[in-house]
Amino acid sequence: MPEDESTLHLTDPRAMRALAHPTRLRLLGELRVRGPQSVGMLSEIVDEAVGSVSYHLGKLAEHGFIREAPEHARNRRERWWRAAHTRTAWEPVAVLADPELKLASDLLRRAALQRYVEKFQDYLDAEATLDPAWVRGTASSDHFLHLTPDELVELRGDLEALSARWVARSDPGRPDARTVTLIYQAFRGPQ
């Protein structure tokens, strides 16, 4: 995994369990994509009560996923938040020896998978309304490869490098640029 300060490397099962909540995953994602937001703005985006959003933001802050952004507030009552990192990562192999960490990792990975499914379903629902130029670039595929463990590690590195290249190229300030979701997985299936 690339090492940089924009990545939060999880090693605490409590933080993993805290992030595994669907609303918290969504809030963190919205802050990463949209930038700093007020509690009220986030409440509207995720269609949750302000009190509920405040509670979940507090849990995210407690574990270092987000930080307050008071410079955006118009008054002392308004609370703004920002993502503390651009991505969250952990090593799946590092959790295998610790049952509590393995369970927390599994909960978080399953919650993330559900969020990925929801995002793709939202895309499919909206696809007919999009400019065909955007639909032309949409990709969904799968391949079954026959690899050794070392080759799977190499593939992971290639995917990380490709992703990093496009993240570096990403610029929300360009006139035609819009948020694009990149999701990939590579894993050995059960036999």
Side-chain angles (χ1 to χ4, degrees):
M1 247 181 271
E3 291 292 329
D4 62 67
E5 60 189 46
S6 67
T7 300
L8 174 61
H9 294 278
L10 291 180
T11 57
D12 180 358
R14 292 170 301 153
M16 288 179 173
R17 284 192 305 274
L19 186 56
H21 191 283
T23 301
R24 292 180 201 145
L25 271 175
R26 181 139 186 240
L27 288 168
L28 179 58
E30 294 296 341
L31 288 170
R32 285 180 174 167
V33 170
R34 296 173 188 263
Q37 301 285 308
S38 71
V39 173
M41 295 163 85
L42 288 166
S43 175
E44 287 184 29
I45 292 166
V46 301
D47 196 26
E48 294 267 346
V50 170
S52 174
V53 168
S54 289
Y55 172 79
H56 290 301
L57 291 170
K59 288 296 180 184
L60 289 170
E62 179 182 327
H63 294 284
F65 295 106
I66 64 172
R67 292 192 273 259
E68 283 198 66
E71 67 277 11
H72 293 283
R74 292 177 297 206
N75 58 53
R76 291 173 35 158
R77 291 189 53 205
E78 189 176 63
R79 291 186 78 182
W80 281 67
W81 297 90
R82 72 167 30 93
H85 306 87
T86 57
R87 72 189 280 259
T88 304
W90 66 97
E91 278 296 323
V93 72
V95 306
L96 293 177
D98 181 336
E100 182 184 10
L101 198 53
K102 173 68 171 128
L103 178 60
S105 172
D106 288 353
L107 287 171
L108 180 50
R109 290 166 84 178
R110 290 174 194 279
L113 174 62
Q114 285 305 119
R115 184 69 191 127
Y116 298 155
V117 169
E118 289 169 10
K119 287 183 75 65
F120 191 58
Q121 287 173 330
D122 289 346
Y123 167 77
L124 290 174
D125 290 343
E127 186 178 60
T129 67
L130 296 176
D131 182 327
W134 285 106
V135 178
R136 183 175 55 243
T138 300
S140 292
S141 184
D142 59 78
H143 302 274
F144 296 98
L145 310 172
H146 301 281
L147 305 175
T148 66
D150 288 342
E151 289 170 333
L152 181 56
V153 170
E154 182 181 349
L155 174 60
R156 175 183 170 178
D158 289 349
L159 292 170
E160 289 284 346
L162 178 64
S163 174
R165 189 178 94 212
W166 282 96
V167 166
R169 186 171 168 176
S170 176
D171 178 3
R174 289 182 298 162
D176 289 339
R178 300 294 181 270
T179 301
V180 172
T181 301
L182 171 64
I183 299 169
Y184 59 84
Q185 295 180 321
F187 56 91
R188 178 187 179 267
Q191 303 289 320

